[in-house]
Amino acid sequence: MAIKTISTQVFEGQKPGTSGLRKKVKEFQRSGYLENFVQAIFNTIAPCDGHTLVVGGDGRFFNREAIQVIIRMAAANGFSRLLVGQGGILSTPAASCIIRKHQARGGIILSASHNPGGPDGDFGIKFNGDNGGPAPESLTDSIYQQTLSIDHYLIEDAEDVNLDQLGAYSLAGTAIEIIDPVADYADLMASLFDFERMKALLTNGKFRMCFDAMHAVTGPYAKEIFERRLGAAEGTVINGVPLEDFGGGHPDPNQVHAHELVALLNGDNPMDFGAASDGDGDRNMVLGKGFYLNPCDSLAVMAANAQYIPGYAEGIAGIARSMPTSRAADRVAKKLGIHCYETPTGWKFFGNLLDAGKITLCGEESFGTGSDHVREKDGMWAVLFWLNLIAVRNQPLGEIVKNHWTRYGRDYFTRHDYEAVNSERAADMIERLRGQLPDLPGREFAGLCIESADDFSYTDPIDGSETCNQGVRIFFDNGGRVVFRLSGTGTEGATLRVYFDQYQNDPTLLGQDPQKALATLMDAADQVAGIIEYTGREKPDVIT
Ligand code: VG1
Ligand code: CO
């Protein structure tokens, strides 16, 4: 075996977005494309000598090939130890857990999350640091700079490693351990939640639940935790085998894509509790009997009830939410006398706050919730939190949330996505909005008057770093808010996201359909921004 130095040429556009580098599989299959990016990571975090690296992915098409390349490159770059999930599998939160538990230098996670997989689908790669969290912008910027000047990479000339066999191998002085992807993570969950109580609920012969793993990474985790450790009936986990193309589905846990699950929680004889996760296991959708739980409400209700959960029984230090997430959590923070931070979209912005102990819980409207137990959002964790809460409060999910609204009022929220729209037109729309910002206050649209408008920027309270242009926010005099931003995870054209939220505390108006409750705000948003005109679409592609 020998280290080979391979000459390479720069690929344009290897700039990480909201969550790592995401491109079409075809792009990643270009000779040297993956290698350049991986070498750029190693150059940025050098020296690698003597360090441990965690490697795994969501099991999508190209996962195994990519892992073999990364193993050989990591060995050539001097890592002393690699921890690789069996079968190439590691959910994003499990990777975060393993990095922390084994004091690794970091981890490489292969995933395009909820984006479709398969030969014509998407692939992605992200680097997480030694705290287990996504690389901050300063690091992703350095990695990108490296990709612009790279001219060679290092790779060990060696055979493929058997990813399916647990055990230890040695490759040119690097110890390669193929590890159980689930065990450390499941143990962490057992340390946070009251498994005994949850087991009693799941085996009482009355409570019925279903977990939809959407043929993505959470299948093995859900089977171990729900069916083995918590005693739920076999078959509780559906679509539980990770498939390279997610069974042709779209592993995005929302009501549109997890329709099989939604049907089980509605209609005749609905189940009591349902949940789904995404491609890499960091998102969650939680449903009660005939009840949809909005992720913004999920964060707020969790914060208000954290004392019921063993891992959080001593109280929470603070909360953070991404800017477009509704302000429901802010109300809970106020009542608890703790701070609620507002960060840009993307989990990487929570890392410093978590590391500094400023926050315990954090969340995003995009089906992401998590805590200081790892440094990623965590789908299974969120589902277990809810199950634990239901077991302790002995109330159905819908009732817990409705009680919360009665106490705090309800922040109606919805997000409209316009996918694969013309990139230039979408950019023009946002540019025009930015240009209008100073003139918007005082103007009226659809009968609502604008109070203030800005483009969100954030100064990290821990390291002082600044992040600008994170979304146009428009605040109306009725308390409503509309946010416009372009996605940083899409791979085709542009995806425009429009977020609406509005507070309501009239007890007779807490049970409306959000699409109706927010209808006037939607009219106003279209009038201000010209959504229909710029996108050429009459209505959004996805509503969450
Ligand atoms: C989206 C979500 C964002 C989330 C990100 C990564 O980003 O809006 O809240 O953090 O995906 O989640 P964007 O830039 O497309 O809006 V995941 O589960 O795809 O890693
Ligand atoms: Co994800």
Side-chain angles (χ1 to χ4, degrees), residues 43-63:
N43 291 350
T44 305
I45 62 165
C48 306
D49 296 68
H51 289 297
T52 300
L53 183 73
V54 173
V55 185
D58 64 10
R60 69 177 58 222
F61 184 81
F62 198 57
N63 191 49

Side-chain angles (χ1 to χ4, degrees), residues 386-454:
W386 272 99
L387 209 52
N388 197 156
L389 189 56
I390 291 165
V392 179
R393 289 195 40 171
N394 198 20
Q395 276 177 304
L397 184 144
E399 224 171 86
I400 294 175
V401 180
K402 285 177 193 159
N403 287 348
H404 184 93
W405 291 338
T406 306
R407 181 143 183 241
Y408 290 89
R410 178 174 179 185
D411 289 88
Y412 279 99
F413 177 89
T414 189
R415 184 178 100 187
H416 289 185
D417 290 340
Y418 298 81
E419 295 180 339
V421 300
N422 180 291
S423 301
E424 270 171 36
R425 295 287 290 161
D428 286 352
M429 191 191 111
I430 298 288
E431 266 322 300
R432 182 175 152 270
L433 267 175
R434 284 193 180 125
Q436 280 185 309
L437 286 173
D439 308 322
L440 286 178
R443 288 184 61 192
E444 218 174 87
F445 296 90
L448 300 179
C449 184
I450 296 181
E451 259 183 0
S452 63
D454 66 4

Side-chain angles (χ1 to χ4, degrees), residues 227-349:
E227 297 185 6
R228 289 188 207 107
R229 299 202 186 193
L230 293 173
E234 214 172 293
T236 295
V237 178
I238 60 169
N239 301 319
V241 179
L243 297 176
E244 288 201 328
D245 66 347
F246 309 115
H250 197 139
D252 195 354
N254 60 41
Q255 294 189 92
V256 180
H257 296 299
H259 45 81
E260 191 178 348
L261 177 75
V262 171
L264 292 171
L265 272 292
N266 294 283
D268 296 342
N269 197 18
M271 290 189 166
D272 300 287
F273 183 75
S277 190
D278 70 333
D280 61 330
D282 57 0
R283 296 187 177 207
N284 73 91
M285 179 174 72
V286 168
L287 303 170
K289 190 180 277 193
F291 189 89
Y292 166 72
L293 173 66
N294 185 283
C296 307
D297 287 331
S298 182
L299 175 64
V301 178
M302 281 181 175
N305 291 277
Q307 73 275 14
Y308 292 113
I309 310 297
Y312 308 92
E314 282 167 19
I316 53 175
I319 312 172
R321 61 164 174 85
S322 68
M323 179 274 282
T325 303
S326 90
R327 292 159 284 176
D330 304 37
R331 300 178 207 289
V332 177
K334 199 166 171 208
K335 222 165 219 164
L336 293 175
I338 56 177
H339 200 70
C340 185
Y341 297 84
E342 185 177 36
T343 57
T345 295
W347 211 260
K348 58 187 167 216
F349 296 102

Side-chain angles (χ1 to χ4, degrees), residues 34 48 119 132 151 155 211 220 222 330 348 371 395-396 404 406 426 441 443 460 463 477 483-485 488 522 540:
L34 170 74
C48 306
D151 59 8
I155 190 159
F211 181 91
D330 304 37
K348 58 187 167 216
S371 87
Q395 276 177 304
H404 184 93
T406 306
R443 288 184 61 192
D460 186 293
D463 66 15
D477 62 351
V483 175
F484 299 87
R485 62 178 283 280
M522 291 169 192

Side-chain angles (χ1 to χ4, degrees), residues 13 74 97 106 146 153 179 217 256 296 451 469 516:
C97 158
Q146 284 283 340
Y153 62 86
I179 59 168
V217 81
V256 180
C296 307
E451 259 183 0
N469 302 331
K516 293 215 175 83

Side-chain angles (χ1 to χ4, degrees), residues 18-19 22 112-115 126 278 280 282-283 322 345-347 364-366 377 415 485-490 497 499:
T18 312
S19 178
R22 279 189 203 171
S113 190
H114 55 289
N115 297 19
K126 55 184 176 175
D278 70 333
D280 61 330
D282 57 0
R283 296 187 177 207
S322 68
T345 295
W347 211 260
E364 296 190 277
E365 50 65 41
S366 54
K377 56 186 185 269
R415 184 178 100 187
R485 62 178 283 280
L486 298 180
S487 157
T489 60
R497 305 203 195 282
Y499 311 77

